[in-house]
């Protein structure tokens, strides 16, 4: 649902888990991409890192189309890589 990698694109089980349900509800409430505003939202992006206590709070999530979600993660990867090189 919210993962762009093809090897995880298929559901793991026949019943959705709590993450899939939560992301599905969020996407139902936000039907268009919150970045470009043109395409339908298909993925939920979390602005906070893993293990942050407010990660699943809707205030820190964005509904994105696949293209915008990939673009955001490429930008994040570039920033992290630049920080590692400067250390």
């Amino acid at each position: 649902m919210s993962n762009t990698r093809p090897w995880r694109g298929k559901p793991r089980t026949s019943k959705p888990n709590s993450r899939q349900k939560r992301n599905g509800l969020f996407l139902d409430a936000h039907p268009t991409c919150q970045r470009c505003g043109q395409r339908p939202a298909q993925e939920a992006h979390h602005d906070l890192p893993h293990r942050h206590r407010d990660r699943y709070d809707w205030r820190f999530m964005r509904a994105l189309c696949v293209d915008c979600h990939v673009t955001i993660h490429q930008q994040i990867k570039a920033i992290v890589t630049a920080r590692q090189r400067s250390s």
Side-chain angles (χ1 to χ4, degrees), residues 34-57:
Q34 292 180 318
R35 185 171 184 257
C36 68
Q38 298 174 4
R39 295 182 288 266
Q42 297 173 330
E43 301 182 348
H45 175 72
H46 302 266
D47 290 328
L48 297 175
H50 292 281
R51 295 195 178 111
H52 192 283
R53 65 185 181 121
D54 292 329
R55 177 175 168 81
Y56 297 106
D57 190 333

Side-chain angles (χ1 to χ4, degrees), residues 45-46 71-81:
H45 175 72
H46 302 266
T71 301
I72 286 177
H73 278 278
Q74 287 173 342
Q75 292 169 351
I76 292 170
K77 185 178 179 180
I79 292 169
V80 170
T81 304

Side-chain angles (χ1 to χ4, degrees), residues 6 19 22 25 29 44 46 53-54 59 63 69 74 78 86:
R19 178 186 56 85
R22 179 179 51 250
L25 289 171
H46 302 266
R53 65 185 181 121
D54 292 329
R59 293 177 294 167
H69 199 197
Q74 287 173 342
S86 65

